[in-house]
Amino acid sequence: MKKLLTSVSLLAFLAIAISFSACKGKLKDADIKTAVEAALKADPMAAGSMVEVKDGIATLTGECKDDMCKNLCAEIAGKIKGVKSVVNNCTIAPPPAAPVINPEDEVLTKALTDALKDHSGMGFAVKDGKIVLTGEIAKAKWAMLKQTLDKLKSKGYDLTGLTIK
Amino acid sequence: MALQDKYQELITAATAGVSNLQVREQEGVLYIDGEAPDGATKDKLWAIYDKLDPNFLSGDLVMNINVVASAPVTKAKVTTERSNLNIRKGPGTDQPVVGKAAHHEIVTVVSQSSDLWWLVRTEDGEEGYAYAQYLTPES
């Protein structure tokens, strides 16, 4: 019985000793986090990502511009000492909308001629891609005409000379 | 961004009811493009636009909302104010007139390749381009 107690206490001692020495070699989560953050900041492509570290597991969040950037962030974090694994929760930013293609002034003028054929009493011109309208028009007709003109994708309007009746 | 604030109510309504919505700001003009499921949705958006910018006179918004028909349009009514509608050889008022469709006549829509000009055929068999603004799809 005594022998058993001795071996149990010996085992307990050993276990405590091992865990202590393990603690010494283990990096703190906060230190790992600082190191990962510094590494991410150092790369302009990965600079938009943020990291949280718990029990050596690094979780990445934030917005990346594409898959390549997302993978790069994980790679950078994975190389840091003390990081056991990486959870990559970075999102990919949606692609920017394509720009509006404005027609040439000449094309716009022709389209305007078509649209305004039946609106006598109105003057029109195209200036730097903008539609310039002058004269008078009834509200109901204008509401209809504006819908048609908006299909022409001009660079906007100059309507200071237009009166709505 | 200021334009998107000005037209926020419109953008919110468009986001809810319009598919393929694209909202872009370029050189001081806001562009809203998309496809509405029906005419009522489109009319509602234009009403909000009129409220935010009375009579659409600021000229800082270009809104191109098309109504997508569930089935292809095959017949359309000539909805001019009272006159006949010119049928032309090509899409443009510089094109020769090849025929006329009467006010409130029903024509066959052959092709809607452009938003502005539709290729139509009249009851008399005259075929050519007519200005789409004066054609209302018949269901």
Side-chain angles (χ1 to χ4, degrees):
Chain A
M1 190 64 193
K2 201 181 175 187
K3 204 178 173 188
L4 187 71
L5 264 175
T6 318
S7 60
V8 166
S9 55
L10 194 71
L11 263 175
F13 173 77
L14 267 175
I16 290 165
I18 287 166
S19 67
F20 262 114
S21 64
C23 240
K24 231 183 203 173
K26 200 176 153 191
L27 289 159
K28 274 191 197 155
D29 284 342
D31 296 334
I32 300 170
K33 184 184 170 191
T34 312
V36 175
E37 272 175 349
L40 288 172
K41 269 216 183 84
D43 194 303
M45 212 173 165
S49 301
M50 286 155 291
V51 65
E52 284 302 330
V53 180
K54 192 165 186 281
D55 300 329
I57 299 166
T59 304
L60 298 172
T61 51
E63 206 169 68
C64 286
K65 75 172 168 55
D66 51 27
D67 271 321
M68 209 179 100
C69 162
K70 186 175 169 177
N71 295 336
L72 178 81
C73 293
E75 205 178 295
I76 290 172
K79 279 184 189 160
I80 303 300
K81 202 179 162 196
V83 173
K84 284 190 225 157
S85 65
V86 177
V87 178
N88 197 348
N89 286 343
C90 287
T91 51
I92 309 286
V100 179
I101 309 296
N102 302 114
E104 301 282 321
D105 280 5
E106 217 173 281
V107 178
L108 194 54
T109 306
K110 187 177 175 292
L112 263 182
T113 313
D114 292 346
L116 292 165
K117 180 182 155 280
D118 299 323
H119 297 276
S120 53
M122 277 181 80
F124 68 90
V126 175
K127 196 172 170 252
D128 302 329
K130 279 192 183 213
I131 295 175
V132 184
L133 295 177
T134 50
E136 279 190 349
I137 187 168
K139 175 69 190 262
K141 279 188 180 182
W142 170 232
M144 201 176 185
L145 181 62
K146 178 74 165 59
Q147 293 195 22
T148 303
L149 297 182
D150 277 6
K151 290 185 193 300
L152 309 181
K153 296 209 185 297
S154 67
K155 287 186 181 174
Y157 298 83
D158 177 355
L159 303 172
T160 44
L162 188 69
T163 311
I164 311 298
K165 284 185 288 185
Chain B
M1 278 301 140
L3 277 177
Q4 300 205 18
D5 292 340
K6 177 181 172 184
Y7 293 110
Q8 188 52 54
E9 187 185 342
L10 184 60
I11 295 168
T12 306
T15 309
V18 169
S19 56
N20 294 330
L21 181 70
Q22 286 211 307
V23 180
R24 293 167 290 186
E25 203 170 324
Q26 189 176 306
E27 293 176 59
V29 177
L30 186 67
Y31 294 83
I32 299 179
D33 293 76
E35 288 167 349
D38 49 49
T41 306
K42 179 183 155 184
D43 292 346
K44 201 181 100 194
L45 293 175
W46 278 91
I48 297 171
Y49 178 11
D50 198 11
K51 188 183 84 181
L52 299 176
D53 177 27
N55 291 337
F56 328 111
L57 283 175
S58 299
D60 53 8
L61 174 63
V62 171
M63 184 161 75
N64 185 15
I65 303 288
N66 287 311
V67 176
V68 268
S70 47
V73 177
T74 53
K75 296 274 177 191
K77 192 178 194 175
V78 175
T79 45
T80 48
E81 226 165 283
R82 63 180 81 83
S83 61
N84 294 333
L85 179 64
N86 286 331
I87 310 287
R88 295 176 184 274
K89 195 179 174 191
T93 51
D94 54 353
Q95 295 287 315
V97 175
V98 295
K100 282 181 190 292
H103 175 65
H104 280 179
E105 180 181 331
I106 306 290
V107 296
T108 304
V109 178
V110 180
S111 159
Q112 285 177 292
S113 51
S114 136
D115 281 349
L116 296 165
W117 291 92
W118 290 357
L119 183 60
V120 298
R121 191 164 50 237
T122 65
E123 285 168 353
D124 306 333
E126 295 162 336
E127 195 172 300
Y129 291 84
Y131 206 55
Q133 188 189 307
Y134 300 116
L135 293 167
T136 306
E138 288 276 292
S139 50

